[in-house]
Amino acid sequence: MLAFFLLCCCAAANWIRGVEPDRQSLYQPDDDGLWACLGNPEIKISFDRINDDYCDCPDGSDEPGTSACSLGQFYCANEGFKPNYLPSYRVNDGTCDYDLCCDGSDEPDGKCPSRCAQMKKAWDEETAARNAAIAKGLAKKAKIQHKAHKQQTKLRYEITQLSSEIEKLEQELYGLNQLQAPTEKESAIISVFEQLDSSLERLSLQISEKLQQLNSKRHNLRNLEEILETMSNEYNPNFNDPAVKAAAQAFQEYSVNQGLTKDEKGTDQASEVETLFANLQSQLKDSEAEIRKLAGREVEDENELFDFKSTFKAMVNSFLGVSKRHQKIPSTRESEKRKKEIEEELKRLRRDQQTKEERLNKDYGPHQILMAMDDCIVDKIGDYDYRLCFVEKVEQIDRNGHAVRIGRFERTEFDEEKQQLKLIYEHGDKCWNGPVRKATVLLECCEKDTIVAVTEPEKCEYTLRVKSPIGCFEPDEV
Amino acid sequence: MRWTPFVLVWLSLLPVEAVKSFLFKKCSESGFCSRNRHFASEVEKLGAEYDSRYSIDLESLEIDPSAGYLHATLLKMLNDGSFVSLDMNMSVLEDDNLRLQIDEAERKPVVDHVTRQRFNETAKWALAEQPRLQSFMHSVDSDRITLQFHEYRVDIELHPFKLTFVRDGKAQLVLNDRNFMNIEHYRTREQEDAENSIHVAPEESTFDAYTDSFKDSRDDKLPFGPEAVAVDVSFVGAKAVYGIPEHADFFALKDTTDTEPYRLYNVDIFEYETQSKYPMYGSIPFMIGLGETGSAGVFWLNSADTNIDIRKSESQVQTHWISESGILDIVLFAKKTPTQVVQSYSKLTGHSALPNIFSLGYHQCRWNYNDEEDVLEITAKFDESLIPFDAIWLDIEYTDDKKYFTWKKELFPDPERMMDKLGETGRTLIVIIDPHLKVGYDVSDTVAEKKLGIRKNDGSDLYHGHSWPGESVWIDGMNPDAQPFWDSLFANGSRLLGSATNAHLWNDMNEPSIFNGPETTAPRDLIHYGDWEHRSVHNLWGLTFHQMTYNALIKRNPNQRPFILTRSFYAGSQRTAAMWTGDNMAKWEYMRESIPMVLTMNAAGFPFAGADIAGFFGNPDKEMQVRWYQTGIWYPFFRAHAHIDSRRREPWVAGEPYTGMMREAIRLRYRLLPLFYTQFYKHSVSGTPVVSSLAFDSPENPDVYTIDDQFFVGPLLVKPVTSPNTHTVRLYLPDDKPYYDFESFEKISGKGYHEVEAPLDKVPVFLRGGSIMPSKERYRRSSRLMKNDPYTLYIAADEGRATGELYIDDGETFAYQEGEQVFARYELDGAKITSTVESTYDTDVRIERIVLLGGSRATAATVEQGGQKWTAEVVDQGTHAVVRNPRPLVAKNWTISLN
């Protein structure tokens, strides 16, 4: 067949090299022996200038079989496999472009023997293997999808449940609010306590925030000192910079003269807390005075006041985490107490509902499949372990078990052309000398979850190649 | 960030400051430099009252005029009137150059492990071969000796010793003109310190003669005490001096009266500054002086730490050469033009070997391409972006833990597969191999076992220092036994390169760079093969290393031209390596500086030079990146490189319109590869620069002496834009010939300045009238794939005449040395173009197009070749005319007549 074809094309006197059979008819001289460039018909050239290795047509149509035109296209018949077009700049350049021209027709005869048969065979085998892998992957993926679907249904159900619960409580609250309001005096006292309550709450928040800040600063400082200590101890001058030498020396001096944070008892926070308590005390005094004023003589029992004091104490304790946060605000009526309870409960339920809705609406990829990917995988790539928790984060863990967060799961992207799902992780730990770390996970189809490769093309911007069933797609899926 | 560079963190936190000047010795902190500057200033103060201590002992004179040399004893008078005898040899070298060598006749051994002589092997490494001498005529009388040859005369005054080199009756160079000659003869510390010591003249200083007070080199043992050599040389009639790379400075060297001297000491100068006389990675102690009536050269064959002071006046440029140790060995040149001076220097030290043609293409480097996949993806991305490139580079991270000759297997599981893949599109892999070898693996173990490394200052064991891999030893390129071991590491089938044929080398850190050493290099009292102290060989040591690599690659594949990039270099390095200007920054001033630096390398006989595009440290903005490519395509060595902390910046990263502009620039370089290759060929046979300053092009015109922001590549005059927001440039035309804008083909003419358009997408480049220039216009993925493409000739007539050349060979083997080459000379005379070819190389390549700038009224052309005759159409295109597809074979004679 091939022989016949060759014979046939050689026999045809004006068979034009590099043109596909269906387009051969476009290459015919007119009566004057001229031919018009296909894309620029206003330009007419002598027919014998086709494939004369000199570019006359801006669109390259006069040189389909040579490399003379930069925009030209060369047709490879690739008998036995798929025909293809090759850009002209790859024609007659001394290299066999088998990727597009398996028949080797892009180079002078004999230079590139055809590989179409073996490439077809390899392609078929690859395709079969790939299809088999895809089939397995897809089967696994269907299970995952099913799980994701179930989770979605469950979430939806829970959200509905929460809605009705919320509705019920709201009704009850409405009813309570309809009940008679407390006396003026009671309200005044309550409002004083409420004010106290809220200011104490603020105070408590401030304290815990400050403590947190302090602790994290201490922690950072300790980390920093550890880093510097490591550097100054283990420093071999491997990096070509005197700044390091200077830094190491400065640190040694610092550690001798200042003492390191790890040896220190944390006196600063204490004094700050003391100030906060002094403020609290004075506020307490003011409140006392006000209650006296409000109650006038009606507050006869010193014990009653004492009760207030102990309440404060309890509150303070609870703020500082001494006992469980649970205030005992004196309420003149059960209904007030119930209202508070309901409000608390509503807050909790709404928060719960919101979380569930966010989860339901978050970008978990096509058909929310990632919702079912609540597990983590760890693989060693190079010097590090990489831990990928699909819908949570990516981490890099060094030999000493120290983990750096590369990113938190943000969203997915789908590359239509490549049929590839990408997971985007952002807001990782900041790089020392660069940006905040982030990662893109490129998913490939496989039955099993594995991290195959990690690269860092840009500093602190990672690309992970990950195999997973969720990377499998039917060619026409999505 | 897999690699945890604590250091880099600290760097970034510190305020950005360039070179750490406290790391490097200033002249005042350097014993020998300080002593000699002091000496010169004392001598100068005494003026005419001063009697030089140096004179020639006439009785010792031996002259062999037919053999071309004379020998005499040079006497140095001590304080008590006694003399130290010095050996003086003077020879007239072929090419009419004069060489003077002065050595100390006798030096008593002080320590056993150091050779007692002054180091006298600099010439052995620097010169291409033992120079041939030529005969002279001479006369001797009581106060002078006179030598004569061709148009030259040498007047040697005996007391005080002074030498004048005369060409055509005019003094060109005067040696010891100012009596700064100072050869610190051997004396013990006791002798020097003695009261009324006869050894220390009143005009001398004893600063740091036996100890080094510079804080990082206090351990220097200085076993010989003071041993400097110094002399002054006046360039009579010179208006400018050039050369003595490597410095980040103007092309025309500056007066140093009130500044540091220019220092030559090969150091890894971290974050170097521009406009500076600080030493850098390499040294070529060769200087060219230029005046309207002639040009002269001084080649100071000394490889120790060297300082050069320059003083300029109306009538001359005076120089003072000071080296820490070694013998005094100097070659003087006096010619009509600076090009002749550098040609003569090149003949002496060797030409750049004709490069493997791939190495003139575009090199893509980065610290680091991470793994095999990264390398192949970058390659694919170039093809996708339709941008040609020839070589992709691997910096130190490809190794297993910085152990050279190993691969990090997780990242590069099959290097040969990768290289084969690159080879499919004609691409090359270039890997780095540095001289520091991490302790504790087979390569360094062998170096230790066979004692092939640099030794400690007591000569016992190998010296251990720190570099990238941590504790390391340094293989000593001076040791002849190191060569076979090095050969084995590169041999075919070896661990590093397997049997690949498309792998070449990068030798970095060969100053040597030693992170814990004084001035970031080796302590001066370390011991090399031959029991020479490091201080005397320092500047040439980098050469011994890359030359050893060259030899190993030749053995690996005897019929392939090796490519080696070196950071450190010395006179003679050009024979076996290309160089780049080290770790520059992504700042406009570094782009500007790259031009005078490359011009200086060309002036110093080392044309295969380039700078990192678009700045090693930092992130260039897109405009800067485009401009840097437009500048970098003219560097003979054209490579983009980036620091590990910089963002990826391959040409497609910037996006349009910037990517398109970079693509056009890179493709312009590829179109002009025939021109670059021809330029390199001409250099390889005659030593002419590849890139020429205007001063070298038009030496008779003093207006161009300080122009260093434009230059010629053959007939192309180029003025790159090296400043932001620039839309026009002031271009200087050195003559009245027509110049054609190489893009629009519009003509400008008239000696002097012209304002020309230079929007961001344009490289201001002009073809000079009177020239014929070859090109290849078809885009291919790499230079190898262009091999069979047809040529285009551009003809820019000047009064109806033009000439040009084209050199062709197989581009990669040594067959050209057997004559397999084509050298075509083109000539336009009126309406006739003639090609005269010397050729034994068989190629079917033809000429597809001739572009006639300035237009032509012809409508057809008659082509004649090999007894046959055919016609080609001539198409009028307005600004120019094109001879369409004339198709003569390029390797044969032809004529084309325009009708």
Side-chain angles (χ1 to χ4, degrees), chain B residues 672-685:
Chain B
L672 297 175
L673 281 180
L675 169 67
F676 276 92
Y677 197 51
T678 304
Q679 286 292 106
F680 265 97
Y681 170 73
K682 283 159 66 179
H683 168 84
S684 74
V685 293

Side-chain angles (χ1 to χ4, degrees), chain A residues 56 95 433 454 456-457 462, chain B residues 1-2 12 268 424 648 884:
Chain A
D56 295 292
T95 193
N433 193 23
V454 179
E456 192 186 354
Y462 295 79
Chain B
M1 209 174 66
R2 293 161 178 226
S12 72
D268 180 357
E424 284 174 14
R648 291 254 168 164
R884 184 197 176 283

Side-chain angles (χ1 to χ4, degrees), chain B residues 54-58 60-63 69-75 85-91 98-105 145 147 154 156-158 161-163 175 181 183 328 330:
Chain B
Y54 295 88
S55 59
I56 289 180
D57 174 12
L58 205 48
S60 67
L61 184 67
E62 294 166 33
I63 300 194
Y69 77 89
L70 71 81
H71 171 87
T73 300
L74 186 70
L75 299 173
S85 293
L86 303 168
D87 281 333
M88 186 182 89
N89 279 295
M90 199 178 295
S91 43
L98 186 74
R99 183 179 187 183
L100 172 71
Q101 290 162 290
I102 299 172
D103 196 357
E104 206 169 342
I145 305 168
L147 314 183
V154 182
I156 305 157
E157 291 169 43
L158 304 185
F161 171 68
K162 180 172 166 178
L163 184 154
L175 186 132
M181 177 175 274
I183 290 148
L328 190 155
I330 191 169

Side-chain angles (χ1 to χ4, degrees), chain A residues 382-452:
Chain A
D383 297 336
Y384 293 95
D385 276 338
Y386 288 87
R387 181 181 168 86
L388 169 65
C389 302
F390 286 88
V391 291
E392 197 191 334
K393 63 187 174 184
V394 183
E395 287 179 334
Q396 182 192 58
I397 304 160
D398 70 15
R399 266 172 269 192
N400 307 322
H402 178 67
V404 168
R405 188 173 61 206
I406 296 178
R408 273 199 301 257
F409 176 65
E410 272 315 301
R411 64 198 150 81
T412 68
E413 279 175 15
F414 189 76
D415 185 330
E416 290 287 344
E417 204 185 327
K418 290 186 193 155
Q419 290 279 296
Q420 186 175 49
L421 184 61
K422 298 179 190 174
L423 313 181
I424 312 295
Y425 298 78
E426 284 168 355
H427 311 294
D429 291 340
K430 198 175 180 318
C431 267
W432 276 328
N433 193 23
V436 166
R437 289 181 178 80
K438 54 185 177 182
T440 302
V441 167
L442 303 175
L443 289 167
E444 295 168 15
C445 178
C446 187
E447 199 185 356
K448 205 171 157 286
D449 294 329
T450 344
I451 304 170
V452 254

